[in-house]
Amino acid sequence: MARVAILGIPISHVRYPVDDGEPYLVDIKYQNGATDKQRKNLEKLLSGASKEIEIVDLGELPHPDSSKIDYLKLAESAKKILQNAPADVIISVGHDHSAAFPLYVNPGNVLRLDAHGDAYIPKDTDLTNFVMSGANYMHYVAKQNLKRPEEVMNIGITRENISTQYHGNGFFGSLVNLEDIA
């Protein structure tokens, strides 16, 4: 029997238009309870798909006692939770792709299922002024050496449009078809 753990990471990035030449301002929020419905729906879906899957709902990752979201502290918190709840597969649920970021500190491979190329690594980005979002968090994963490129598989990125999706230094990880890993 395969054991699947679901961890909610209720981080959302809210974009506000601004008039000072920047396209938008990003506000990062932590919203307790925001992944409750998604976790329950995913649990029903996976349980109904196979009797060989045991689902463990780990709830939501607790927010550190700070008004500012510190992704590295969240990553350490996720690591502790996941060490105490062994699973064959861990699925993170959040508002955007950056909710998965705290899982990248854990050992093992990452399977990114996505329909567009936001696994790109922008050139020469200074992390001191870096605002992580669902569109660029893989840059932070790469810069912090949290995963080696061979540990990240990007599935679902349309290969036909790769020239329009290829940014900066390119994708972090490998582009694979789902059939290639089955």
Side-chain angles (χ1 to χ4, degrees):
M1 178 168 286
R3 189 171 187 187
V4 176
I6 302 172
L7 179 63
I9 305 176
I11 298 171
S12 65
H13 293 83
V14 181
R15 296 178 180 193
Y16 302 101
V18 293
D19 295 327
D20 63 359
E22 292 293 321
Y24 54 83
L25 173 69
V26 176
D27 187 16
I28 304 169
K29 297 182 183 253
Y30 194 94
Q31 300 173 309
N32 286 323
T35 68
D36 291 348
K37 185 175 181 182
Q38 291 92 336
R39 290 191 335 273
K40 296 294 178 210
N41 288 342
L42 185 56
E43 184 174 354
K44 277 186 200 177
L45 179 72
L46 293 174
S47 295
S50 173
K51 302 248 186 258
E52 298 298 315
I53 298 175
E54 177 188 354
I55 307 296
V56 179
D57 185 351
L58 300 174
E60 288 184 330
L61 187 63
H63 185 272
D65 296 329
S66 166
S67 60
K68 184 178 177 189
I69 292 175
D70 183 331
Y71 281 96
L72 294 177
K73 284 184 182 176
L74 286 173
E76 287 304 314
S77 178
K79 192 172 188 176
K80 288 177 186 171
I81 289 171
L82 297 173
Q83 284 173 342
N84 294 325
D88 300 307
V89 175
I90 302 161
I91 299 175
S92 68
V93 177
H95 284 275
D96 67 30
H97 305 301
S98 62
F101 176 78
L103 301 181
Y104 281 82
V105 300
N106 291 287
N109 294 332
V110 173
L111 205 64
R112 294 185 69 254
L113 297 140
D114 199 352
H116 49 86
D118 57 4
Y120 67 90
I121 309 300
K123 288 184 178 178
D124 304 324
T125 301
D126 179 7
L127 291 181
T128 57
N129 296 319
F130 189 73
V131 176
M132 189 184 308
S133 73
N136 63 15
Y137 77 101
M138 290 304 297
H139 177 72
Y140 201 84
V141 169
K143 287 284 189 181
Q144 296 295 316
N145 296 313
L146 298 177
K147 290 285 178 201
R148 295 184 316 272
E150 61 270 16
E151 293 178 301
V152 178
M153 291 175 277
N154 295 292
I155 297 172
I157 296 173
T158 308
R159 290 175 186 244
E160 292 81 31
N161 294 329
I162 198 160
S163 62
T164 61
Q165 296 178 7
Y166 203 87
H167 303 281
N169 293 335
F171 288 100
F172 183 79
S174 59
L175 297 175
V176 297
N177 290 321
L178 193 55
E179 299 83 34
D180 295 339
I181 61 164

